[in-house]
Amino acid sequence: MRLRAEPSSPASVETDVLAVPIYREDRELSGDLAELDAATGGVIRAAIDWGQFNILEHYTALIDAGSIRAELILLVNGVRRGRGPWRARRIASTATRRLQGTGARRLALWLRDGEDADGYAAAGVGAMQGTYRPTELYGRVRDTEAMRRSVEEVSLIGAPDQAGLDHASTVAEGVEFGRTLANRASNDLYPERMAEVARGLESDGCSVEILGVDEMRALGMNALLGVGQGAAHEPRLIAIRLPGWERAAADRRLAIVGKGVCFDSGGISIKPADKMEEMKHDKSGAAAVIAAARTVARLAPDAPLMAVAPMVENMPGGNAQRPGDVVKAMNGKTVEVINTDAEGRLILIDALHWAETQGASHLVDIATLTGAAAVAFGDLISAYFARPRDWGAEVQAAADATGEWFWEMPLATEYRASLDSAYADIINSGTRDGSLIKSAVFLADFVTKPWVHVDIAGSAYLTADKAVNPKGALGTGVSTLVRLALDYAKQG
Ligand code: BES
Ligand code: MN
Ligand code: ZN
């Protein structure tokens, strides 16, 4: 799909479909929208009056465009006004998704509110996201040629320049790459296979290092290895360094660390069967950092970036880790494993510590870490914790700029005492109260450098189709991590 900056006005743009966001307050058409409606001969007004587009119920309506040059008008709802890149991305994604399987090849998107360059770029990424079809991954036989049709060209009315949209295309490809990795089934994408995927980034100029079990054992990564010991597929630790990593100043190196649990059965503390298939998405953090590294390598290879992905499968079995086991993490602290289902934090602590030993001065980890994050935040919002909070503000700014919704949570280290163990330095899982915060407090014990932890347990994937995206992985975090790395490189 191509993205174009479009200088024409909504009434004069030549296209198959003109997409127009409609808000609650548009029950009385005014301003630019009233002008467009008049130019069409009143089709928008009529659609709303006839109840074809009920702002409270419908997300989209496809109507004849009347006397303007476009063939059809797509009215798009589902967002509130004044939300910048987030709004733009969502509208664009809803529009291209609505046109899947139709004959529309060209879409012109009128955002109505004047967006800045970030807003148009986010719209571009959203437009490409909306064409994503999960059924392509394994070539679903019952999909017809007609179902496979999608918009080929999206014109963004009022976009300031083409270069910004070309950049957005590259980011969107990265989001799609991460999304597809996260959607792959666990029998198809296990740790060694993810390592092969990572090796592919050598053709983007990255250096790729893969640690196997023996190497990790020699380094003392027993927290990570303990999680993986019950599975037939062996763990791997993936490290992807951009060319800029080696050249960077020692105090300016960014490591992004992604949780890569290819399947989370819970292990001996096994999960209930209901919805367990969703746990193939427990590698979404790893998918995000690998996709972000590939994208940054293409946009700014001099960025001082390393992506680290600890990859395991969390399975029960005769050799699996037991509740009560005590493991010594790479940083020397001992962990009592109360619950083998709190495995994400166990692999992250060794990966984060290892990243520090490799020279990382700033860290961001991203993980589908806790059900509590999904309960509290749902699928729209990613929760993060920061130490110091200034570093969190940089992550927040990157998220805001690309239209991802991040929200800070308090890193209340006062809760640390509730993680005390009778046998070890710390337990991996305490009581339910405050468990989202306590998961971050657990990680904090193993990190010394400026660090942000992002919990995407709720936001990594949808559990059902929505107007804006299909069921499955969303590529959450990719655009934010790319933006963060680019901004970070500029400050260097
Ligand atoms: N991968 C899960 C978290 C998760 C749950 C992600 C639902 C997406 C949707 C994680 O490894 C986990 O099992 N967490 C436990 C921790 C508990 C045992 C302390 C949880 O949140 O229940
Ligand atoms: Mn788990
Ligand atoms: Zn997990």
Side-chain angles (χ1 to χ4, degrees), residues 6 13-20 106-110 153-157:
E6 176 60 66
V13 65
E14 202 202 312
T15 184
D16 295 338
V17 180
L18 171 67
V20 179
R106 295 177 306 165
L107 168 71
L109 175 59
W110 180 38
E153 183 182 87
V154 174
S155 303
L156 295 168
I157 295 173

Side-chain angles (χ1 to χ4, degrees), residues 22-174:
I22 301 286
Y23 305 100
R24 254 168 192 270
E25 57 268 34
D26 293 326
R27 271 178 267 205
E28 306 303 327
L29 303 190
S30 63
D32 289 357
L33 184 61
E35 270 176 43
L36 175 67
D37 183 52
T40 65
V43 300
I44 297 174
R45 177 77 274 164
I48 294 173
D49 286 350
W50 277 85
Q52 258 171 293
F53 185 69
N54 177 328
I55 287 167
L56 296 178
E57 290 172 22
H58 304 159
Y59 281 92
T60 57
L62 198 51
I63 61 175
D64 190 274
S67 38
I68 63 169
R69 292 189 75 175
E71 298 293 328
L72 299 167
I73 290 177
L74 179 64
L75 304 177
V76 183
N77 179 31
V79 286
R80 275 185 295 134
R81 242 187 148 140
R83 305 207 55 147
W86 189 82
R87 176 194 75 105
R89 187 164 172 170
R90 216 173 149 80
I91 291 169
S93 178
T94 304
T96 53
R97 176 157 162 73
R98 173 65 183 78
L99 297 174
Q100 281 187 322
T102 74
R105 286 160 179 276
R106 295 177 306 165
L107 168 71
L109 175 59
W110 180 38
L111 288 170
R112 290 184 56 193
D113 305 282
E115 289 290 341
D116 59 12
D118 288 339
Y120 284 102
V125 172
M128 289 182 69
Q129 262 188 295
T131 63
Y132 187 81
R133 293 178 59 253
T135 59
E136 254 164 45
L137 181 49
Y138 296 111
R140 196 168 72 174
V141 172
R142 73 179 168 87
D143 287 11
T144 61
E145 206 48 55
M147 287 160 78
R148 291 198 195 99
R149 289 189 298 210
S150 70
V151 170
E152 286 163 13
E153 183 182 87
V154 174
S155 303
L156 295 168
I157 295 173
D161 65 337
Q162 188 57 38
L165 298 184
D166 294 344
H167 178 102
S169 288
T170 305
V171 174
E173 274 173 44

Side-chain angles (χ1 to χ4, degrees), residues 259 261 263-266 271 279 282 314 341-345 368-370:
K259 172 178 172 181
V261 177
F263 188 74
D264 182 12
S265 70
K271 290 180 179 295
M279 285 302 115
D282 213 20
N314 187 23
D341 197 13
E343 83 297 340
R345 60 198 76 181
T368 47
L369 203 69
T370 67

Side-chain angles (χ1 to χ4, degrees), residues 108-260:
L109 175 59
W110 180 38
L111 288 170
R112 290 184 56 193
D113 305 282
E115 289 290 341
D116 59 12
D118 288 339
Y120 284 102
V125 172
M128 289 182 69
Q129 262 188 295
T131 63
Y132 187 81
R133 293 178 59 253
T135 59
E136 254 164 45
L137 181 49
Y138 296 111
R140 196 168 72 174
V141 172
R142 73 179 168 87
D143 287 11
T144 61
E145 206 48 55
M147 287 160 78
R148 291 198 195 99
R149 289 189 298 210
S150 70
V151 170
E152 286 163 13
E153 183 182 87
V154 174
S155 303
L156 295 168
I157 295 173
D161 65 337
Q162 188 57 38
L165 298 184
D166 294 344
H167 178 102
S169 288
T170 305
V171 174
E173 274 173 44
V175 171
E176 181 158 333
F177 177 53
R179 190 177 190 180
T180 297
L181 288 177
N183 270 335
R184 281 171 64 179
S186 306
N187 64 332
D188 167 30
L189 192 56
Y190 40 86
E192 294 146 80
R193 286 272 177 89
M194 192 65 125
E196 285 167 25
V197 169
R199 282 245 181 267
L201 273 68
E202 283 172 351
S203 64
D204 292 292
C206 297
S207 83
V208 178
E209 184 181 6
I210 310 291
L211 304 187
V213 172
D214 294 343
E215 288 149 300
M216 289 192 271
R217 191 168 292 129
L219 286 164
M221 293 186 167
N222 302 307
L224 188 161
L225 289 171
V227 174
Q229 75 188 30
H233 292 301
E234 282 186 356
R236 293 286 183 268
L237 185 103
I238 297 168
I240 301 162
R241 294 174 179 85
L242 267 66
W245 173 267
E246 303 296 350
R247 283 178 233 145
D251 62 342
R252 289 302 292 176
R253 287 200 179 116
L254 171 61
I256 53 177
V257 179
K259 172 178 172 181

